[in-house]
Amino acid sequence: MPILFLVGAFWHQFMSAVSSNIVFSILMCSVYGYVLTYCLQPFKVSLYHQVKA
């Protein structure tokens, strides 16, 4: 984000870029989680595997 300040972005442009990046990351991570769960189901892979010490 320092690039935004170097090119002369205002604080509201900076906050808009940061907040949209956060929202996009959250949405993409949740979509990835659903896809991963869907792809693992046919193979009967457990999502949470505890290792015995």
Side-chain angles (χ1 to χ4, degrees):
M1 295 300 166
I3 294 172
L4 291 175
F5 287 125
L6 289 176
V7 297
F10 295 110
W11 68 270
H12 58 87
Q13 293 171 320
F14 179 78
M15 293 306 294
S16 177
V18 170
S19 61
S20 64
N21 193 357
I22 290 170
V23 170
F24 180 75
S25 297
I26 290 171
L27 290 175
M28 291 308 294
C29 287
S30 65
V31 169
Y32 174 73
Y34 286 122
V35 170
L36 184 63
T37 302
Y38 177 76
C39 291
L40 290 177
Q41 285 177 350
F43 301 105
K44 299 193 181 356
V45 175
S46 175
L47 293 177
Y48 302 103
H49 181 72
Q50 291 185 340
V51 178
K52 294 181 180 180

